[in-house]
Amino acid sequence: MARWQHVIGASRLLDPASGVDGPGELWIRNDVIHTVSAVGAPPPEAVLPDDVVEVIDSAGLLVTPMFVDIHVHLREPGGEEHETIRSGTASALRGGYALVYTMPNTKPTCDAPERIAHVDRLAAEAGDVEVVSVSALSRGLQGEALVDLEAMAAAGAGGFSDDGAWLADERLAREALRWAGRNDVLVMQHCEDFQMTGPGVLHECDCVQRRGLPGIPRESEDRAVERDIRLAEAENARLHVCHVSTAGAVDAIRRAQERGLPVTGEVTPHHLVLTAEDAVANGPDWKMKPPLREQEDVDALVQALADGTLGAVATDHAPHSDERKAGGFIEAPFGAIGMETAFPILFTQLVEGGTLPLERLVDSLTAGPCAIVRREPPRIAPGAPARLNWIDLETPRNVEREALVSRSHNCPFHGLTLRGWPVAALLGGTLRTHFGGEPVRIRTNGA
Ligand SMILES: [Zn+2]
Ligand SMILES: [Zn+2]
């Protein structure tokens, strides 16, 4: 006897990569999408009289594949006061994510195969959100000796990065890229020339200088991106640039792609909608790496996301306790959380603002990131595991810091009224509704 779920009543099914866009219904058999059908179409012939059919009434919501974030910090092991794998994956689920890539700057660093196994175990205990470990490039993120790249790849590393630090040593970076190129694995660089960053805490510009704060120039990022593209080209390697924040870095990536190089980039929600002026006007929750830049950079990033130069939105979800963020601009650590607000902030400010088509936003959270890491994305297509989001594009809801599921609250969007909230997800065979509501009605008929 099979278990079916029949998804009806959606305003729109949207999975651009699968060519799905419009009203329709889904038939899911034993947690696998069986049929994408027209509204009111008869049941598939495979539905037998004894089968159980749950009807999921979608109440006019948008249905998309669940999202993928290729850059988050779940902090465990070693940073459990800020986030754990359990709290971080709960936050991911609330934001609509089925799969996240967690960065290696934990304590200890993810630089040995047993560390990946440990994260895998914790993630399996935590629930159904899949967690892939990104391995460090260098041992202890010290930039002095490479990890055992082969052993880490064999242990399941989804990519390699010294995120938080930049592998500045050119000889080592070249060696890593050479190995990565030969073995077709992905190097994900946090591109920052720390000599140029110096003591900087926010973007180098007039408004930051007027506050008497040390700035981080665009060149800190631009030069690192250009160097890494040069090395990746020489070594025939795939290079992924993390959290692109400057118009110059966008240009460098675009030129590399025009030359046919396998160079990709991601952009965070905060870099797409906030500037250095917002940081100065607000506080340390707006302090992140790279720093919030200026409007001309924001415009270049939105354009690059719209035209596909930047293939993925990644949140760089970086939880820090209130205590640590209370230290003021100089003392507070860099980073903001982002998974729970990613879709609503970008939907409200960019899609409704008319600068980004909804199809591009959904693609940059699903097939886009998966193409970068070479994973099969969540899809709305026959044969795909059922990993679906229900999203309410109409009802406004405030971002309430204390209501966030993440263990940390360092969110630069609190107080904003947004639309586009994920309100339910189907993952691992279980339909979960968020915010305690029941926007998706389930009826069971059949047998
Ligand atoms: Zn980084
Ligand atoms: Zn990061």
Side-chain angles (χ1 to χ4, degrees), residues 71 73 163 316:
H71 188 147
H73 298 266
D163 185 43
D316 197 7

Side-chain angles (χ1 to χ4, degrees), residues 71-73 103 105 163-164 190 242-243 266 289 316-318:
H71 188 147
V72 305
H73 298 266
M103 286 292 164
N105 61 338
D163 185 43
H190 168 122
C242 295
H243 42 54
E266 70 190 28
K289 276 269 186 82
D316 197 7
H317 178 86

Side-chain angles (χ1 to χ4, degrees), residues 67-249:
F67 306 147
V68 176
D69 194 336
I70 57 174
H71 188 147
V72 305
H73 298 266
L74 298 184
R75 299 289 187 230
E76 189 173 7
E80 289 83 354
E81 71 272 36
H82 310 294
E83 196 79 285
T84 61
I85 301 231
R86 186 172 291 275
S87 66
T89 52
S91 179
L93 185 66
R94 174 63 70 93
Y97 291 89
L99 167 62
V100 298
Y101 280 55
T102 188
M103 286 292 164
N105 61 338
T106 46
K107 293 178 194 123
T109 304
C110 182
D111 60 3
E114 59 270 27
R115 312 253 196 271
I116 295 182
H118 181 59
V119 167
D120 288 350
R121 248 189 332 270
L122 291 171
E125 286 165 17
D128 293 311
V129 173
E130 196 178 346
V131 177
V132 172
S133 290
V134 174
S135 167
L137 276 165
S138 71
R139 279 190 222 141
L141 306 174
Q142 294 300 302
E144 288 161 9
L146 295 180
V147 302
D148 184 340
L149 298 162
E150 204 168 321
M152 293 304 276
F160 289 84
S161 179
D162 270 2
D163 185 43
W166 181 50
L167 190 55
D169 184 297
E170 188 154 334
R171 188 188 56 81
L172 272 191
R174 197 176 258 269
E175 189 183 329
L177 285 161
R178 185 175 308 141
W179 186 87
R182 286 191 187 141
N183 293 280
D184 199 28
V185 302
L186 187 65
V187 170
M188 310 163 86
Q189 282 278 59
H190 168 122
C191 289
E192 177 182 8
D193 183 332
F194 280 74
Q195 286 184 333
M196 301 220 58
T197 296
V201 294
L202 296 176
H203 172 62
E204 185 178 272
C205 63
D206 291 345
C207 70
V208 170
Q209 202 172 14
R210 275 198 299 274
R211 273 288 295 269
L213 294 168
I216 302 173
R218 291 190 182 87
E219 290 73 26
S220 164
E221 177 168 339
D222 296 354
R223 287 194 191 179
V225 169
E226 279 165 16
R227 188 210 70 171
D228 281 340
I229 290 174
R230 178 168 58 76
L231 296 186
E233 181 171 18
E235 299 300 342
N236 214 4
R238 283 195 285 145
L239 171 70
H240 177 68
V241 181
C242 295
H243 42 54
V244 175
S245 80
T246 66

